[in-house]
Structure formats: structure tokens, C-alpha cells
Amino acid sequence: MSFTLHGLGVSGGIAIGRALLMSHATLEVSHLTVGPRMVDREIARFDQAVATVKSELAAMKESTEHAPAELSAFIDIHTMFLEDPELIDKPREIIRARRCNAEWALVQQMEQLVAQFEQFDDPYLRERKLDVRQVVERVIKELLGHPSRAAMKADKGLKEETLVVVAHDLSPADVISFKEHRFASFITDVGGATSHTAILARSMAIPSVVGLSNARSLIRDGEVLIIDGMRGVVIIDPDERVLEEYQLRKNQIELEKTKLKRLKNSKSQTIDGIDVALYANIELPVDTPEALEGGAEGIGLFRTEFLFLDRGDMPDEQEQYEAYKKVVKGMGGRPVTIRTFDLGNDKDLHPDSSVHDRVKTNPALGRRAIRLSLAEPQMFQTQLRAILRASKFGPIKLLIPMLAHAHEIDQTLAALEQAKSSLRGEKVAFDEDIQVGGMIEIPAAALAIGLFLRRLDFLSIGTNDLIQYTLAIDRSDEQVASLYDPLHPAVLMLLAHTISSAEKANVPVSVCGEMAGDPLLTRLFLGMGLRIFSMHPSQILKVKNRVLKANAGELAPTVRRMLRQEEPGKLREALEKLNA
Ligand code: PEP
Ligand code: MG
């Protein structure tokens, strides 16, 4: 009988295939008592399993050098857990004290740790309980004698491309092996929009739905499934008509993807001959090949704070310099916009880091981004010197996040001058004329834009934060996610005002928030006068496709009229017409 499950679509596309149920090893563990003489053997078995999983992770890290940045970060987190005494020493103590089997001891300790993680207020830290479960799952599978890879082996006679993995949860390591195995899709019972698995699925473009609650218990091995990763829907045992309809949509999506690839080398220009620059947002140097592959003309936003995350120490000048140099060299002469670290909000420092305690209670409104940089001059100098040193290898632009005050720019420029003069003193080469730009992501900055236009070489609008601060919606709070509205008239007014003011002042302006990568908004932005977009690499060709079909001159008056509209319903209608 056909039925439908609803979850969270975390990665678009459609997949059709047969269900392959993944075992959930931690649920299979039984409690066994071992004799006194077997205790040491049980501990040795535990140590051996941990060592095997660690070396598997290390091998995986090596083989994924060009994989998305998140990937190696997850492997690092899992490896870190396998070095944590809480997860490694405690089970040994439990085996000895309770004379039990290694699997059971490990599951007991895992439950303890998961309970501790659940106490955290911070949603990111709370979600790390999933990492604990995932890494324990791997060790348990090793102990039970069926390592993860084996659990994913397809049945004889069925091609992997026709299989949909159904799991309670997947570890990032499992997702990596998807690359080798070419499964059609995966769906899981748990996981949210910000779970590691979801982020990974997106960056690997595997259609996927998470948070289905009980898919694993409702779906049987071999059942036909349709996965709609866009709408978060899973249809089990569909009838012929539904199957045909989805097959048709799937073919259309694939055709569009193939067609888009042909646009990679075509000039990004509107019908009326206006050049539109399409840049990539990246988080780590390993993202550079993906940016080039996506057809980026440069890097519009390098979120350098990712170099600082998930570690107890700070990257020193040399490490940062190497990272920036790698990106600049990788981009082969194309411009690279390096944003100074935006730490303190959702991207919190490791609790062991020396400045962690200086970031206070309401992080989004507190000492974040440039505020933290100016409060930590040493840390800021280290970064500025590293960026300047890398500027010798290609065109680098410096971007300052979260500006609200003119004096923040003045102080930043003074700090930059200090870094330059120290390098001059040391006779180290750098680009003397490095351009300095500012992120417009606080409504105050958008409204008093003149202050910024007079002091900066370029602007970049961070719509993710601009929406958060304009609408007073915490961008990481799921409970108010429905109120986070990029099309709110106030947001559109601020965007239009910033873009047209910059145009009048002859200061280049880009948009680098998520809105820039939404093809449904490309025509709206072009009509506002935007000529530089920066987005996730996977979106570039979709946006280029819109650019190529647009007439910017004709769009301008239509968009001006549209922006006079305040009623949300009418605005949406007008946007639909604009895209029709
Ligand atoms: C933004 O705020 O839109 C932005 C691009 O920066 P981040 O998402 O890193 O805050
Ligand atoms: Mg921002």
C-alpha cells in the first residue's frame, strides 16, 4: 500500500529507487557478563576496535583532500571524540568494574555523554550528540564484526544507483562512502537542517530527506521509494501514475543540469550587454576547486572564521598565510575577497580558545566580527599581516564584517596601516594598494550608507544578517524560521537603497548572502541595479542561466514599480510575474 512520509528536505533533486535498510548497530548490543580472566581481553578488543576506526578515519581524511571543507572537519571531530578520555577511558573502567562486554560498556558511556550534550543551550553543541552517536556506532560495528562499509553493501543483482539508503542516522563517514558507492539517495529518521549530515548532503548534491522520525521502522527492504529532496517528501510504494510523473520530473531536472554545465565558459552578460560578475563564497582553501568547477570568476566571500573553528588553539600567522596563499594561487589571478574573521555569533570559538570567554551572552548583538577583531588587536594584526603577505600572489581584497559605525572603519584602516608598516619594516612584499570593503549587514549601515561609501573601496551586502537584524529574527532559531522573510518590504527597501546609493557613488557593490544564490531573485536584483553576485559554487550556473535571459534595462522600471508595493501578497505576485 502506498503512503507518504514528510521530513526535512535538506538536499534537492528527485531519486527513485528501492529501499536498502541500514542496520543500527547500537540497538543490537546486548549486555553480557564476562569472567574475571576475560576482562583484559575485552579491553584489548575495545582498544583494537577504536584503533581500527581511527585509522579508517585517517585514511578517509587523506582520500578526501578535495572534498567539501565540512567533510574533513567532521572527520576531525570524530577523531577528536576517539581521543577523548570520556569516550575512551571510561568504557575501559566500566568493563573492569562491571565485568561486561566492550559493546555494552561503550553504549552506557555514550548515553551518559549524549545526556550531557543535551543540557547545552547552544544548538550547535547540542547537535554534537549526533557525532558522539555516530562515532560510537562505527566502533560498535567494528566490535560486532560488521564494519560500516560492509553494512552498506548492496544486495546481489541490484545496482547501487537504484538503491535508497534508509537509516536511523548516518555519520559523515558513511556519507563519504556514498561517493564511492553511488547510491541514489539517503533518508534518515533523525537530523535537522543544520546537522552535519544535512550540510554534507547539500554540498555533495545527493537528494536527501532527514528528520522522518520512523522511516526505518515503517519502510521494508526492497520497497520502491520516491524521494523529493526539495519538498522533503518520501513516497513509499507509489502507484504507476505517481511513479511516471516523478520519473518525468527527474528526467527534466537531469536535463537541466546537463544543459547548465554548457554555460560554464559562456560570458556572464545580459541580453542588453551588461556584464554581471558571478563569484563564489568559500569557507576553506579546499573549496577552491569547487568554485572554479562551478564557473566562478573570483571569490566574493572567503569566510575566514572557519580556519578558527573546532580547535582549541588559534591558527598562527604562518598557517593563515598558507591558507590565503593557497586560495589566491588556486584562483589563478582571479580576485579573492577575504573577509576578516566573523567569530562570535553562530560560529563560536572552541571553549578552550583563549578569547572564548570574551564573547558574551547575546552573541548576535554582542562582541562579534569586527567588534571582536578590534577588541583583540593582537589576533587582528596576525590576520591582517597574513592576508597582506598573501596579497603578493594575486589580487586580494579585504572585507570587513558587521560594520555599523564610521569609527570602526577608521580603526580598521589604522590597524591595517600598522600591519603594513610592520611588514615594510621587515622588508616583506605585499600589495600596497589592497582594496578595503565593508559588509552591509546591519540596517544602520544600510540606512546611513554615505558614511561607508565615503570610506570604503567596495561594499558587500550580507543578506543573511541584514534580514536577521531588520526583522529581529534569530537566523539560527528554528522556532521563528517562518518569520525569516527575505522578501519583507523593509528588507527589499534596504537592499534597493544600498545598491542604488553605491551605484551613484560609483562604488562597486555585491550581494553575498544566500539571496544572491537564489535564481528566483536574480531578475529582481538585476532590476535593482546589482552587477556582482557571490554565492555557493553550486548555484552559480543556475544564476548565470537567469542572467543570460534577462534584459537589465527593461527590468529596472518594472522592479522600481514593484518596490513601491508594500503588501506581501502583492509583492510575491509581482515577483512571480517578473520571473514568468
Ligand atoms: C551574511 O550575513 O549574509 C553573510 C554573507 O555572512 P555570514 O552568513 O557569514 O554571516
Ligand atoms: Mg553575516
Side-chain angles (χ1 to χ4, degrees):
M1 193 191 64
S2 176
F3 63 102
T4 304
L5 292 175
H6 294 265
L8 198 62
V10 290
S11 184
I14 287 171
I16 300 173
R18 290 191 178 273
L20 173 68
L21 264 59
M22 254 182 91
S23 73
H24 191 23
T26 35
L27 295 180
E28 291 173 22
V29 168
S30 27
H31 182 186
L32 305 174
T33 308
V34 297
R37 270 180 293 154
M38 296 297 276
V39 165
D40 284 338
R41 211 200 66 151
E42 214 43 35
I43 292 177
R45 207 163 67 81
F46 172 71
D47 289 346
Q48 181 57 48
V50 170
T52 307
V53 172
K54 264 169 90 171
S55 62
E56 267 178 27
L57 290 175
M60 209 169 270
K61 179 148 174 144
E62 242 173 51
S63 71
T64 56
E65 210 201 324
H66 297 297
E70 296 92 342
L71 221 52
S72 46
F74 300 148
I75 298 174
D76 289 343
I77 292 176
H78 285 198
T79 310
M80 198 178 77
F81 277 128
L82 287 180
E83 278 158 6
D84 191 325
E86 284 294 310
L87 206 59
I88 300 310
D89 294 347
K90 283 277 165 62
R92 292 194 190 116
E93 287 166 23
I94 296 173
I95 297 171
R96 203 169 285 288
R98 304 198 203 163
R99 285 211 221 126
C100 62
N101 52 325
E103 294 89 335
W104 192 78
L106 181 56
V107 171
Q108 300 314 298
Q109 183 54 17
M110 174 190 79
E111 296 300 352
Q112 282 272 336
L113 283 174
V114 165
Q116 284 173 22
F117 275 93
E118 274 166 355
Q119 304 293 319
F120 286 118
D121 288 334
D122 181 80
Y124 179 82
L125 287 178
R126 254 197 330 269
E127 278 217 4
R128 299 292 65 76
K129 70 178 182 215
L130 296 177
D131 290 298
V132 175
R133 284 199 187 279
Q134 287 169 347
V135 82
V136 167
E137 177 85 4
R138 276 188 91 80
V139 179
I140 299 276
K141 277 179 180 160
E142 193 57 43
L143 282 164
L144 292 174
H146 47 89
S148 314
R149 294 288 165 85
M152 294 186 68
K153 278 256 162 63
D155 280 1
K156 275 191 212 108
L158 278 175
K159 275 204 191 132
E160 283 178 348
E161 293 89 321
T162 63
L163 293 172
V164 173
V165 173
V166 184
H168 179 71
D169 193 10
L170 287 175
S171 72
D174 288 328
V175 182
I176 297 172
S177 46
F178 272 44
K179 276 200 140 180
E180 288 165 31
H181 286 273
R182 311 175 61 83
F183 288 108
S185 162
F186 72 80
I187 56 175
T188 59
D189 289 341
V190 298
T194 62
S195 63
H196 283 159
T197 327
I199 297 171
L200 279 174
R202 269 198 295 273
S203 59
M204 289 183 168
I206 301 173
S208 161
V209 179
V210 302
L212 285 158
S213 304
N214 40 18
R216 210 189 161 283
S217 53
L218 293 176
I219 296 172
R220 281 171 306 188
D221 246 329
E223 268 182 320
V224 173
L225 306 178
I226 296 175
I227 316 300
D228 184 338
M230 177 86 102
R231 294 190 299 145
V233 171
V234 176
I235 305 171
I236 298 103
D237 196 15
D239 63 37
E240 274 304 309
R241 194 183 47 80
V242 175
L243 203 56
E244 260 175 41
E245 197 182 301
Y246 271 93
Q247 189 63 53
L248 206 69
R249 277 182 55 195
K250 183 172 181 281
N251 294 348
Q252 273 167 351
I253 293 175
E254 266 149 32
L255 202 70
E256 273 160 33
K257 257 198 195 161
T258 319
K259 273 203 232 157
L260 277 180
K261 281 203 184 125
R262 292 195 213 130
L263 300 182
K264 190 180 155 190
N265 296 318
S266 56
K267 196 166 168 28
S268 172
Q269 199 177 59
T270 59
I271 297 176
D272 50 337
I274 309 273
D275 289 334
V276 177
L278 303 178
Y279 291 151
N281 293 351
I282 62 164
E283 269 105 48
L284 285 170
V286 285
D287 300 334
T288 315
E290 200 194 340
L292 287 172
E293 191 55 35
E297 292 166 51
I299 302 296
L301 173 67
F302 177 2
R303 291 179 160 105
T304 60
E305 57 276 13
F306 280 81
L307 299 170
F308 293 73
L309 302 182
D310 289 327
R311 54 192 288 168
D313 60 343
M314 293 284 175
D316 63 15
E317 184 182 314
Q318 189 61 22
E319 183 181 338
Q320 289 190 54
Y321 160 72
E322 297 290 350
Y324 306 144
K325 183 171 122 183
K326 194 163 174 195
V327 175
V328 176
K329 288 190 126 184
M331 289 306 289
R334 296 172 184 84
V336 174
T337 315
I338 303 186
R339 180 175 75 180
T340 59
F341 58 79
D342 179 357
L343 289 163
N345 182 30
D346 50 339
K347 297 154 213 155
D348 202 359
L349 280 161
H350 192 280
D352 293 346
S353 128
S354 56
V355 294
H356 175 264
D357 288 346
R358 280 172 250 177
V359 180
K360 285 286 176 227
T361 45
N362 193 337
L365 301 180
R367 193 176 265 181
R368 175 191 163 184
I370 189 60
R371 302 169 184 179
L372 184 64
S373 298
L374 294 173
E376 294 294 331
Q378 206 58 51
M379 193 172 157
F380 198 29
Q381 278 301 308
T382 303
Q383 180 167 43
L384 291 174
R385 279 175 54 96
I387 295 173
L388 282 169
R389 281 173 58 199
S391 70
K392 183 175 89 175
F393 299 96
I396 286 186
K397 297 183 194 181
L398 191 70
L399 181 61
I400 313 299
M402 284 280 296
L403 290 169
H405 301 272
H407 61 74
E408 288 164 338
I409 305 175
D410 300 339
Q411 287 176 51
T412 301
L413 294 178
L416 183 65
E417 191 42 49
Q418 187 189 336
K420 282 181 175 178
S421 104
S422 67
L423 289 174
R424 275 184 216 115
E426 293 162 28
K427 303 223 175 328
V428 176
F430 63 89
D431 174 10
E432 281 281 356
D433 302 319
I434 189 164
Q435 288 193 9
V436 182
M439 297 272 304
I440 303 300
E441 43 189 352
I442 298 180
L447 290 168
I449 196 72
L451 291 177
F452 301 86
L453 290 169
R454 282 192 289 280
R455 289 172 169 81
L456 294 163
D457 300 314
F458 67 96
L459 303 179
S460 189
I461 309 176
T463 50
N464 305 341
D465 278 313
L466 187 64
I467 299 166
Q468 146 161 286
Y469 296 125
T470 306
L471 304 181
I473 298 298
D474 184 337
R475 64 191 259 198
S476 55
D477 185 347
E478 286 161 24
Q479 293 177 52
V480 286
S482 62
L483 299 174
Y484 186 91
D485 181 12
L487 294 181
H488 190 290
V491 173
L492 297 183
M493 282 178 210
L494 291 171
L495 284 169
H497 174 64
T498 308
I499 294 168
S500 66
S501 308
E503 193 187 349
K504 273 186 213 126
N506 226 352
V507 172
V509 59
S510 64
V511 170
C512 64
E514 291 296 301
M515 282 178 84
D518 182 348
L520 293 177
L521 301 179
T522 308
R523 292 168 70 84
L524 174 68
F525 277 130
L526 289 172
M528 285 184 185
L530 188 73
R531 301 293 178 255
I532 312 169
F533 295 63
S534 192
M535 65 203 82
H536 189 277
S538 66
Q539 296 304 104
I540 294 178
L541 294 180
K542 293 182 202 154
V543 170
K544 192 190 254 189
N545 191 29
R546 298 277 170 155
V547 169
L548 295 173
K549 292 178 185 152
N551 183 322
E554 279 177 11
L555 282 169
T558 317
V559 167
R560 253 199 311 278
R561 268 198 308 282
M562 178 180 163
L563 293 178
R564 277 187 223 124
Q565 187 55 256
E566 268 185 0
E567 283 303 319
K570 295 235 165 89
L571 255 174
R572 266 165 226 282
E573 242 173 58
L575 184 67
E576 271 171 34
K577 262 200 208 149
L578 196 71
N579 284 320

